[in-house]
Amino acid sequence: MALLEVEALCVNYGAVSAVRDVSLSVEQGEIVTLIGANGAGKTSILRAISKLVAPRSGVVRFDGRDVTALPPEALVRLGMAHSPEGRQVLAKQSVGDNLELGAYVRKDRAEIAKDMARMYELFPRLSERRNQSAGTLSGGEQQMLAIARALMSRPRLLLLDEPSLGLAPLLVSEIFEIIAGLGAMGTTILLVEQNARLAMRAAARTYVVESGGIVLEGPSAELAADERVTKAYLG
């Protein structure tokens, strides 16, 4: 059974249909990516899964349970975390405070402290800046903080939206090394990423999104060799 199953998901913004009849799945321990042009509906799919927007119709199952009607905080308690597009760190709060916020559903203070230490090991730059206001960090450092904050809830599934957005190439490579490392440790990730080449290299499977719907899906290595994907997304 897949850890995440989405069936016939539809999202509207007023009269505009942003997501149309999307079905996908993510297995435990798998990295899966959604690729597509800007405005294709990728971010809306993630936001509907985590209930940051209410789907018009469709079903979301997490670990076999229908969670379609649950609010975002309930999904976090069940083990789903969302690192959003644009990072959205608390600019006036310290790096450490942002990380603690990621563990707000937890009560195990000793384990939270261990996870804070683990985040500082995974992201050494955050350790150097733990008392610094998050708004003073570089874009790459804020992205690292957004990912680390999401991981503080000990998620079984990480929804990761546009982690390379606006970053210099060197930092993009660093972020994707981190994603690969998380995957190697068994973290299950559903990734939305504009850089299709890097995304497909990181993910075992790929869904191609166009005009709010999925038009192609399959193993990333196979789709990377597909002429339609090559022409449209890989250059």
Side-chain angles (χ1 to χ4, degrees):
M1 182 182 294
L3 181 61
L4 175 71
E5 295 175 288
V6 176
E7 293 182 8
L9 187 70
C10 296
V11 176
N12 279 24
Y13 297 115
V16 178
S17 178
V19 176
R20 290 191 281 271
D21 200 31
V22 163
S23 296
L24 59 84
S25 64
V26 183
E27 301 290 333
Q28 178 73 46
E30 187 178 39
I31 300 180
V32 173
T33 189
L34 308 178
I35 65 169
N38 283 331
K42 306 182 302 297
T43 288
S44 292
I45 292 170
L46 286 199
R47 288 173 62 83
I49 291 170
S50 67
K51 302 307 293 296
L52 294 181
V53 298
R56 178 170 62 84
S57 58
V59 177
V60 177
R61 294 188 185 90
F62 186 59
D63 199 19
R65 174 180 176 179
D66 186 342
V67 297
T68 312
L70 294 183
E73 60 271 22
L75 295 178
V76 174
R77 292 181 189 281
L78 288 177
M80 186 186 299
H82 189 159
S83 179
E85 180 183 16
R87 302 179 274 276
Q88 299 183 27
V89 298
L90 295 179
K92 294 183 179 181
Q93 305 301 315
S94 70
V95 167
D97 287 343
N98 271 267
L99 289 179
E100 286 203 22
L101 177 66
Y104 81 98
V105 299
R106 299 172 53 189
K107 305 297 183 186
D108 49 340
R109 301 307 303 176
E111 292 300 310
I112 290 172
K114 288 181 182 178
D115 284 349
M116 290 275 283
R118 176 171 168 261
M119 291 305 111
Y120 289 138
E121 288 177 8
L122 282 173
F123 304 93
R125 294 192 196 190
L126 298 185
S127 179
E128 297 166 6
R129 292 157 175 75
R130 65 181 69 190
N131 296 316
Q132 191 171 320
S133 297
T136 65
L137 302 179
S138 71
E141 290 163 351
Q142 288 188 17
Q143 185 60 68
M144 293 175 191
L145 178 56
I147 296 171
R149 181 180 60 189
L151 291 172
M152 283 296 296
S153 67
R154 288 190 174 177
R156 301 174 62 198
L157 171 68
L158 175 62
L159 306 177
L160 186 52
D161 195 359
E162 297 286 10
S164 77
L165 187 67
L167 302 186
L170 189 61
L171 282 174
V172 172
S173 297
E174 189 171 343
I175 290 292
F176 270 87
E177 286 178 9
I178 292 168
I179 293 169
L182 292 173
M185 290 187 292
T187 305
T188 306
I189 301 173
L190 179 57
L191 168 69
V192 162
E193 173 55 47
Q194 191 64 34
N195 189 323
R197 191 179 300 277
L198 282 178
M200 295 176 77
R201 194 178 300 160
R205 291 190 299 114
T206 296
Y207 292 90
V208 180
V209 183
E210 290 182 5
S211 301
I214 291 172
V215 295
L216 289 170
E217 62 181 276
S220 297
E222 291 183 12
L223 287 187
D226 188 303
E227 186 175 344
R228 294 166 293 178
V229 176
T230 302
K231 285 183 175 179
Y233 304 109
L234 301 181

